[in-house]
Amino acid sequence: MDESISTNPNISRFYKDVPEASVKELLEFRERYPYQEVALDGRMWRYIDSGAGEEVLLIPAGGTTIAEVSFISIAHFAQNFRVIAPDYPPIEEIQELCAGLIALLDYLDVSQFYTMGGSYGGWMVQSLVRQYPQRIDKLVITAVGPPDEENSRELARLIGWLRLAPTFMLRWMINR
């Protein structure tokens, strides 16, 4: 395994059994589509911007809150679209998160866009289209139910606890 996947030994050890070709694919993705950063309204936004294509596709992150998890989709769609995929800064209210995404798109001079999301990213897509319908041209939602206040509060509490859970427990929960 290529040790350049991370300089953090706690992260590198998770890649020890990953096939070398898969690690190479991720490293090539990182080189081709590096993260960029911008501070907007007092929050630091990290994002991937493929920079090419006339039509823009926003891919909001899923529950991991990290855009890079979708690197295969980002690379695939970047062949035909300008793909923008942000990480989420620590924000508790979905309305504020949506406003932040729109501020990022404004910063990147994007007025109309397509968007797609699954799981938590699907919630984001639904919330975005409800709050900013004039901005979204087309959308795709997968593997998600409709957002509502009670589910949003419960998910926020759960994510807070998940951040404290040891890795072995998270793996056990995912594998169940």
Side-chain angles (χ1 to χ4, degrees):
M1 199 263 320
D2 185 343
E3 288 302 318
S4 64
I5 196 78
S6 176
T7 56
N8 182 330
N10 292 327
I11 292 173
S12 292
R13 69 186 172 109
F14 292 116
Y15 289 90
K16 70 180 176 58
D17 295 325
V18 174
E20 192 171 321
S22 297
V23 171
K24 183 178 182 221
E25 186 178 10
L26 175 60
L27 293 173
E28 287 171 355
F29 171 83
R30 286 178 174 171
E31 187 174 317
R32 184 166 184 175
Y33 304 107
Y35 269 104
Q36 299 175 52
E37 292 185 344
V38 63
L40 299 169
D41 297 323
R43 301 227 187 247
M44 185 59 68
W45 285 84
R46 282 176 28 106
Y47 62 96
I48 296 166
D49 182 352
S50 70
E54 289 183 31
E55 298 170 313
V56 175
L57 174 62
L58 173 70
I59 302 179
T64 63
T65 72
I66 299 170
E68 185 179 81
V69 170
S70 300
F71 80 93
I72 292 172
S73 294
I74 294 168
H76 171 77
F77 287 109
Q79 295 174 49
N80 297 304
F81 298 91
R82 176 183 177 192
V83 177
I84 298 170
D87 287 0
Y88 300 142
I91 296 175
E92 292 187 25
E93 297 293 326
I94 199 158
Q95 292 84 2
E96 187 181 348
L97 189 52
C98 288
L101 287 170
I102 293 299
L104 176 63
L105 292 168
D106 288 346
Y107 169 79
L108 296 171
D109 199 28
V110 173
S111 57
Q112 288 287 124
F113 58 95
Y114 303 147
T115 186
M116 63 176 264
S119 187
Y120 188 77
W123 272 19
M124 290 307 305
V125 167
Q126 290 180 68
S127 297
L128 278 169
V129 78
R130 286 185 174 134
Q131 292 181 49
Y132 304 93
Q134 71 283 6
R135 301 286 298 263
I136 298 173
D137 191 20
K138 294 181 174 122
L139 63 98
V140 175
I141 305 168
T142 62
V144 67
D148 64 45
E149 280 191 44
E150 185 177 334
N151 285 345
S152 296
R153 282 192 298 274
E154 187 61 34
L155 183 60
R157 277 194 294 271
L158 178 63
I159 287 175
W161 282 108
L162 289 177
R163 288 185 179 135
L164 300 174
T167 304
F168 76 88
M169 186 180 295
L170 294 173
R171 283 193 185 140
W172 175 81
M173 290 168 59
I174 290 168
N175 290 329
R176 288 195 70 215

